[in-house]
Amino acid sequence: MSGKLLIIEDEAAIQSILSEVLTDAGYTVEVAGDGLEGITKFREQSFSLVLLDIMMPKLDGWQVCREVR
């Protein structure tokens, strides 16, 4: 498999698990720790898929979703 994924998640343990599993599956993975960082990375790069947490600091997942749509 291939593709570039963005994980927007504030909990380090969840970031690590998702990143490891998806990297092992052949994906290129970028991680953002909050909504603002996620939007910045989304605007700077192209992604096949965004995995988005809902409850995060700075901007919640709903706000991030509206912004990237």
Side-chain angles (χ1 to χ4, degrees):
M1 298 201 154
S2 65
K4 190 170 185 180
L5 310 180
L6 175 60
I7 299 170
I8 307 174
E9 168 63 57
D10 61 324
E11 291 189 39
I14 296 173
Q15 283 180 358
S16 179
I17 291 167
L18 288 172
S19 182
E20 183 177 331
V21 169
L22 293 168
T23 300
D24 288 348
Y27 293 99
T28 302
V29 177
E30 289 281 330
V31 177
D34 62 59
L36 289 177
E37 182 183 2
I39 288 172
T40 300
K41 287 189 177 196
F42 183 82
R43 289 179 176 160
E44 293 173 349
Q45 302 173 51
S46 177
F47 295 97
S48 302
L49 179 72
V50 176
L51 296 175
L52 179 60
D53 185 18
I54 297 300
M55 296 179 61
M56 293 183 295
K58 298 184 182 175
L59 286 178
D60 67 32
W62 297 113
Q63 292 170 303
V64 173
C65 185
R66 281 190 289 275
E67 187 69 31
V68 300
R69 287 179 96 194

